[in-house]
């Protein structure tokens, strides 16, 4: 894990947000400044459309969700944050902090609700919703202020291959640390600010998935790989070098 497909939407100072993961590692989320949106229905319906599911996957809620409330304390006039994630997704804190712009916030673990999140029951859906157990390198942000969900349709699934419009990037790191979170946050901000197209960014921990490092010919971390559009390009280290990253994204020749 993980990945990032996003539209160029800013994060307000005060908001509520929800992130809905799939068992395969995809993510769809929204940020709602009005705090009035019916998030779960929107997110489940969007997943149905994007992944061509037989029906909205409401069974993912709350088991694969994380929620955050960035609010103003009327007594102290200080902005406060309450953030919690269910045990199945709390390991994705670095990604959650990146998409919600919350730095190195430590998320609370929401209590596992066995009657709602029975693992045996959830697996019974797999035969009907097999797309949810696959990783499509997809994270989508929805804008609830729009009458139609504001996202591009970047994924076409054919024989487990993904064809994407825009950029597909992979960031290889060694373990999850404050350095990893800083790199992810800075890279996310750069891509949001500089790209005019949707993109996916998948973060791969080489300590957990050494086979992915070998497959992508990665021998050192951090390494940023541009998978699409071709040609494939990469940067090893120096991920604070903005111009070098922008040159890689704009490159039209092989190394």
């Amino acid at each position: 894990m993980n990945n990032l497909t996003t539209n160029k939407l800013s994060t307000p100072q005060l908001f509520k947000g929800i992130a809905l993961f799939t068992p395969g590692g995809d993510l769809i989320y929204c940020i709602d400044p009005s705090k009035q949106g019916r998030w779960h229905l929107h997110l489940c319906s969007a997943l149905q459309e994007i992944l061509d599911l037989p029906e909205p996957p409401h069974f993912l809620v709350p088991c694969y969700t994380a929620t955050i409330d960035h609010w103003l304390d009327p007594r102290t006039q200080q902005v406060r944050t309450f953030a919690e994630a269910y045990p199945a997704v709390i390991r994705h804190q670095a990604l959650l902090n990146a998409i919600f712009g919350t730095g190195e916030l430590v998320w609370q673990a929401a209590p596992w609700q066995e009657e709602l999140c029975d693992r045996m029951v959830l697996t019974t859906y797999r035969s009907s919703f097999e797309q949810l157990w696959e990783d499509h390198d997809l994270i989508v942000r929805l804008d609830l202020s729009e009458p139609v969900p504001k996202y591009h349709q970047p994924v076409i699934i054919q024989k487990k291959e993904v064809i994407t419009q825009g950029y597909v990037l992979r960031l290889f790191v060694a373990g999850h640390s404050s350095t990893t979170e800083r790199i992810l946050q800075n890279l996310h901000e750069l891509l949001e600010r500089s790209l005019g197209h949707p993109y996916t960014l998948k973060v791969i921990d080489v300590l957990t998935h050494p086979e992915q490092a070998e497959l992508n010919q990665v021998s050192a971390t951090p390494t940023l790989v541009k998978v699409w559009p071709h040609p494939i390009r990469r940067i090893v280290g120096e991920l604070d070098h903005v111009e070098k990253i922008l040159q890689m994204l704009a490159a039209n020749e092989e190394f």
Side-chain angles (χ1 to χ4, degrees), residues 10-251:
S10 61
T11 303
Q13 183 181 14
L14 302 177
F15 65 91
K16 280 190 175 182
I18 186 169
L20 177 62
F21 290 83
T22 69
D26 294 323
L27 168 62
I28 188 166
Y29 73 103
C30 63
I31 294 173
D32 183 10
S34 69
K35 305 186 180 184
Q36 301 297 317
R38 300 177 67 185
W39 309 314
H40 301 84
L41 295 179
H42 282 276
L43 298 180
C44 290
S45 295
L47 272 182
Q48 178 189 12
E49 180 180 351
I50 294 169
L51 297 179
D52 192 26
L53 302 175
E55 60 185 78
H58 297 300
F59 58 89
L60 295 179
V61 183
C63 317
Y64 290 91
T65 58
T67 57
I68 183 169
D69 189 359
H70 213 49
W71 57 285
L72 182 66
D73 188 329
R75 183 175 60 85
T76 64
Q77 292 300 301
Q78 297 293 315
V79 176
R80 301 181 63 182
T81 301
F82 176 77
E84 68 175 11
Y86 271 80
V89 299
I90 198 167
R91 67 184 183 276
H92 302 312
Q93 290 188 55
L95 176 61
L96 291 168
N97 283 330
I99 63 176
F100 290 122
T102 45
E104 297 184 12
L105 177 70
V106 177
W107 290 59
Q108 298 185 29
W112 185 264
Q113 301 182 30
E114 194 64 40
E115 68 278 9
L116 296 177
C117 302
D118 186 292
R119 292 175 175 84
M120 295 298 293
V121 173
L122 289 172
T123 58
T124 64
Y125 290 97
R126 186 164 185 167
S127 60
S128 299
F129 295 86
E130 61 178 345
Q131 300 96 315
L132 295 177
W133 271 261
E134 299 170 355
D135 185 354
H136 304 108
D137 284 358
L138 180 68
I139 291 177
V140 172
R141 172 172 168 174
L142 299 186
D143 182 3
L144 295 185
S145 67
E146 297 292 329
V148 177
K150 189 175 182 179
Y151 66 91
H152 296 268
Q153 182 83 20
V155 175
I156 302 173
I157 303 169
Q158 295 177 336
K159 298 181 181 179
K160 297 186 178 180
E161 294 182 355
V162 180
I163 302 173
T164 305
Q165 297 174 354
Y167 291 87
V168 177
L169 307 169
R170 292 174 185 160
L171 175 63
F172 291 84
V173 299
H176 292 286
S177 64
S178 58
T179 300
T180 299
E181 293 189 8
R182 178 183 59 80
I183 291 172
L184 181 58
Q185 181 67 37
N186 291 344
L187 187 57
H188 172 64
E189 291 175 357
L190 171 63
L191 296 174
E192 282 281 281
R193 184 173 64 250
S194 304
L195 288 185
H197 300 281
Y199 62 89
T200 68
L201 172 63
K202 181 174 183 178
V203 181
I204 300 172
D205 184 351
V206 299
L207 301 181
T208 305
H209 300 287
E211 75 286 352
Q212 289 293 324
E214 181 178 357
L215 181 65
N216 288 269
Q217 301 179 344
V218 171
S219 58
T221 59
T223 293
L224 179 64
V225 180
K226 176 173 72 83
V227 179
W228 185 266
H230 288 167
I232 296 174
R233 301 297 298 269
R234 66 189 67 225
I235 295 177
V236 180
E238 299 185 66
L239 295 185
D240 291 328
H241 197 308
V242 173
E243 290 302 320
K244 191 171 183 180
I245 294 175
L246 293 179
Q247 288 174 8
M248 182 192 76
L249 294 175

